[in-house]
């Protein structure tokens, strides 16, 4: 019982620290010296005028709402950061050539297996998927190594997502069996996104009038999904780093 109480206390303490840091970071967007001021000689900055106090309190109240919305996302960011660190640690140990070699080894073995067990279209499907996955994984590692956090978030994570999402779509272009599963599901997802997400500013109508969801259109669609998903994932990991630095 005592151990359980200590565990709950530790969790609640960690959450309270996270919330305070996140709110202080929000406050520091407008007001100076708000975060990590407990160990500062100067202490936390506070306004010295009535107007300043009003603005300070209003900004703080707005911050409570923002924190309530962001913290659940930050929790997901903690989990994503854990797996991202593991993947990054593995990539660091074996290097870019190692990542390429592992990908070529895995996909090469699958391609050889497909050559003996599947039709020519299935063989081409697995081979094409391997090329996409290998190039995307290599680019993800490259961009995570250069340019700092911004390059990692805006380029590294999207290519990482591309390595996950595009291979089965590319394979479906060659395999009728995969196409029967992936393309109808992709079409349903595309309709939902157009009707519920991309309706702002008539983007859905523009896409429907200019593009057809067939052939390479599916590849373009999933690349278009992988990129913002990579940005979102990278943003959540960045938010987790902001709240709980490494």
């Amino acid at each position: 019982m005592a151990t359980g109480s200590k565990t709950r206390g530790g969790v609640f303490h960690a959450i309270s620290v996270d919330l305070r840091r996140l709110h202080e970071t929000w406050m520091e967007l407008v007001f100076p010296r708000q975060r990590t001021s407990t160990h500062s000689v100067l202490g936390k900055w506070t306004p010295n005028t009535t107007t300043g106090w009003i603005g300070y309190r209003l900004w703080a109240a707005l911050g409570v709402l923002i924190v309530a919305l962001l913290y659940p996302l930050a929790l997901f960011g903690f989990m994503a950061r854990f797996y991202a660190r593991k993947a990054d640690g593995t990539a660091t140990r074996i290097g870019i050539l190692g990542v390429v070699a592992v990908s070529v080894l895995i996909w090469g073995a699958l391609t050889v297996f497909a050559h003996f067990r599947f039709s020519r279209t299935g063989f081409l499907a697995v081979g094409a998927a391997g090329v996409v996955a290998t190039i995307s994984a290599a680019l993800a590692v490259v961009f995570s190594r250069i340019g700092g956090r911004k390059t990692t978030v805006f380029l590294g994570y999207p290519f990482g997502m591309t390595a996950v999402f595009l291979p089965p779509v590319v394979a479906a272009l060659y395999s009728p069996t995969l196409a029967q599963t992936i393309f109808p599901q992709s079409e349903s997802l595309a309709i939902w996104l157009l009707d519920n997400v991309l309706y702002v500013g008539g983007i859905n109508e523009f896409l429907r009038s200019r593009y057809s969801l067939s052939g390479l259109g599916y590849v373009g669609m999933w690349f278009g999904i992988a990129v913002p998903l990579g940005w979102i994932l990278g943003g959540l990991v960045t938010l987790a780093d902001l709240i709980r630095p490494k």
Side-chain angles (χ1 to χ4, degrees), residues 2-3 36 58 61 67 125 142 158 161-163 171 186-187 195 206 220 222 238:
T3 302
T36 62
L58 289 175
V67 168
V142 169
M161 292 293 97
T162 300
S186 298
E187 186 174 353
D195 293 340
F206 173 81
W222 280 103
T238 300

Side-chain angles (χ1 to χ4, degrees), residues 4 9 14-15 21 32 34 49 57 68 70 75 89 96 111 121 142 162 167 170 177 186 194 212 217:
I15 292 175
R21 286 177 177 173
Q34 298 296 303
T49 64
R57 296 296 186 187
L70 287 181
L75 294 178
I96 296 175
T111 303
T121 54
V142 169
T162 300
V170 173
T177 302
S186 298
L194 290 172
S212 174

